[in-house]
Amino acid sequence: MENATSIVMGSDHAGFALKEFVKKYLTGLNVNVEDCGTYNEDSVDYPDFGIKVAEKVSSGKFKRGILICGTGIGMSMVANRFKSVRAALCNNLFAAAMSRRHNDANILVMGGRVIGTELAKEIVRVWLETAFEGDRHKKRIEKFDSIQEK
Ligand code: RB5
């Protein structure tokens, strides 16, 4: 894992099981994981956890984060409100690779009710190992990064 030795993670109840699985996978790869919750399957509101993770990436405390809810849609919406956060909903491997190569995504979002654990593991691996290509893609990111307010 060249790009991330520390990852901040969060989920709601619908993403809890997959978060626990991914956390275990990352820990096994010697990646430090800060878990912002949720910590069980009791019903919670996904924005509360999306905000916690997005704040830590936006502030620069963490370079990378992972968020999981049922579909991944709500968490993506929340995280992308934050300055310098580029959250990408990736429920397939192509999206995971391209979100790094072209979009320099710094938060990976997945849907715990959409994908299984083995696919999620591969998505996480590819997402962490794929480098940003920079160049023309950097210019494009700068065009929208600069208009975010929060
Ligand atoms: C929770 O039921 C569900 O709405 C949430 O996990 C997420 O999918 C929202 O986008």
Side-chain angles (χ1 to χ4, degrees), residues 2-57:
E2 48 156 336
N3 284 320
T5 51
S6 286
I7 303 256
V8 58
M9 291 189 73
S11 77
D12 69 355
H13 54 288
F16 171 74
L18 188 57
K19 171 173 69 66
E20 293 303 300
F21 180 88
V22 170
K23 185 169 67 178
K24 204 168 161 189
Y25 169 61
L26 290 173
T27 304
L29 294 172
N30 290 322
V31 174
N32 296 317
V33 175
E34 179 164 317
D35 185 352
C36 293
T38 187
Y39 303 113
N40 56 52
E41 290 190 327
D42 294 348
S43 183
V44 290
D45 298 331
Y46 63 82
D48 296 339
F49 301 91
I51 288 168
K52 285 181 196 212
V53 169
E55 275 176 346
K56 288 178 195 281
V57 173

Side-chain angles (χ1 to χ4, degrees), residues 12-14 46 69-75 113:
D12 69 355
H13 54 288
Y46 63 82
C69 61
T71 57
I73 295 169
M75 286 296 200
R113 290 174 175 164

Side-chain angles (χ1 to χ4, degrees), residues 8-146:
V8 58
M9 291 189 73
S11 77
D12 69 355
H13 54 288
F16 171 74
L18 188 57
K19 171 173 69 66
E20 293 303 300
F21 180 88
V22 170
K23 185 169 67 178
K24 204 168 161 189
Y25 169 61
L26 290 173
T27 304
L29 294 172
N30 290 322
V31 174
N32 296 317
V33 175
E34 179 164 317
D35 185 352
C36 293
T38 187
Y39 303 113
N40 56 52
E41 290 190 327
D42 294 348
S43 183
V44 290
D45 298 331
Y46 63 82
D48 296 339
F49 301 91
I51 288 168
K52 285 181 196 212
V53 169
E55 275 176 346
K56 288 178 195 281
V57 173
S58 182
S59 70
K61 186 169 179 214
F62 284 83
K63 277 180 70 181
R64 302 281 197 102
I66 297 178
L67 282 168
I68 307 172
C69 61
T71 57
I73 295 169
M75 286 296 200
S76 306
M77 291 178 171
V78 171
N80 279 314
R81 297 285 175 109
F82 285 77
K83 186 173 176 10
S84 304
V85 165
R86 293 177 301 279
L89 172 54
C90 302
N91 285 323
N92 64 73
L93 289 166
F94 183 67
M98 294 307 287
S99 78
R100 289 290 313 132
R101 287 171 56 188
H102 286 196
N103 312 110
D104 199 15
N106 51 16
I107 295 186
L108 168 65
V109 189
M110 294 180 288
R113 290 174 175 164
V114 181
I115 55 172
T117 51
E118 291 307 308
L119 177 55
K121 200 159 82 175
E122 277 303 285
I123 287 171
V124 169
R125 187 184 63 74
V126 165
W127 191 76
L128 290 175
E129 288 180 354
T130 304
F132 178 47
E133 287 176 2
D135 196 28
R136 67 187 187 282
H137 302 297
K138 186 168 184 292
K139 179 191 74 180
R140 291 167 185 166
I141 285 170
E142 282 164 0
K143 286 195 172 186
F144 68 84
D145 252 0
S146 61

